[in-house]
Amino acid sequence: MKTIIAACSQNLSGSRASLHAALHTLLAVPWPSQRDVRSWLQLLAVLQWVLSFLLLGEWGRGGCRAGRALTHPPYPTGPVTLVLLIYLVFTRFWPISALYLAWVILDWDTPNKGGRRLPCLRRWSVWRHFRDYFPVKLVKTHDLFPGHNYIIGSHPHGILCVGAFCNFITGSTGFSELFPGIQPFLTTLAGNFRLPLFREYLMSGGLYPVTRRAIGHLLSKNGTGNAVAIVIGGAAESLSCSPGVTTLILKNRKGFVRMALQHGAFLVPSFSFGENELFRQVVFEEGSWMRAVQQRFQKMMGFAPCVFYGRGLTSGHSRGFLPYARPITTVVGEPVMVPKIEEPSSEEVDLYHGMYVRSLLKLFNDNKTKYGLSEGDELRIV
């Protein structure tokens, strides 16, 4: 009996020693700090957004051209959901594709008639992590009054329009608190709303096609207090996106001014300082054959094929498809008061276009040294 008791005591002692050793080893492993956890969450928030851009569609590729509709032709990006639905046709799950096709046919015109916005998506906590990755900040210089409607010109386009998306779609930068009573909207390429499932994702987030019908609905049939943001430079401007260079495609972009006059919407310039610092792009010189290919492709397909890179997933020093963590400060300028003229003449459009350009230049020059640029930096408008 004594022998058995001694053996049991030895085993229990050995178990306690093993458990103690295991706990000591576990506690010796360095646990991620609170700062590391925040960094990972921020990286994941940006990753999911970039993947939605690369795999499902393309954000912000909309421009305004004088005398033509506020849209570019659709183009075949975002094939993932389309391929999935086609694949289901050849399986026993074919009714899913059939039902969704019927739904799209019935719902085809919804994006141009106010969409289907879900306010809860605007308050997602993931957007706070997205904001803090860069970080993105919104700066107000003048009040916007709920008794008017507004068209906000968003500059520059950059590669992925991060500043425009974060400030005008998500609630993470406090737009509603800075501009009480104003509801922001962001427009994107109309072709994105022809992509299956992605169209639902865009509408739920509060994006609208950059078409006359959609913008006209927001400005005329949605009451007042609406601010429609348009990335005016569009696809062509992304070809000039490079750190240290600020070139805007705006000189002949006057369609947004005509829309503002027709609906009596005030024009508001905004500029995202740091937008061009998020990626490194291979910029081909004007006159080179590669530049000609890019421009030709942009005219035919509505988007410009850019050669760019950012940071990798595992390290900020590696190369990959994620944007660099660079501060973005979006400054919203002084509104240009616009009368309502149902059939504005070319002279009237030119007059208010010139007023908008001067207001934008003043906004840039007054704030450039505050947000990372030097006194000698100039804003080129072509």
Side-chain angles (χ1 to χ4, degrees), residues 4-54:
I4 295 173
I5 293 174
C8 290
S9 299
Q10 186 175 3
N11 288 338
L12 289 172
S13 176
S15 298
R16 285 195 295 270
S18 299
L19 181 61
H20 183 270
L23 288 173
H24 180 76
T25 303
L26 182 63
L27 293 174
V29 176
W31 287 81
S33 66
Q34 196 172 21
R35 181 179 178 182
D36 290 335
V37 172
R38 284 199 303 268
S39 297
W40 293 342
L41 290 173
Q42 292 167 12
L43 193 64
L44 289 174
V46 174
L47 176 63
Q48 64 84 24
W49 184 78
V50 172
L51 287 179
S52 71
F53 170 89
L54 294 176

Side-chain angles (χ1 to χ4, degrees), residues 283-302:
V283 179
F284 301 102
E285 295 182 0
E286 288 289 346
S288 65
W289 69 272
M290 278 300 296
R291 184 72 167 199
V293 169
Q294 286 179 314
Q295 292 173 339
R296 182 65 177 171
F297 202 84
Q298 189 269 325
K299 290 180 180 178
M300 291 175 58
M301 303 299 294

Side-chain angles (χ1 to χ4, degrees), residues 323-344:
Y324 292 108
R326 302 286 188 269
I328 302 174
T329 303
T330 301
V331 185
V332 179
E334 181 178 7
V336 176
M337 291 185 290
V338 175
K340 184 174 181 179
I341 306 174
E342 292 187 2
E343 295 294 334

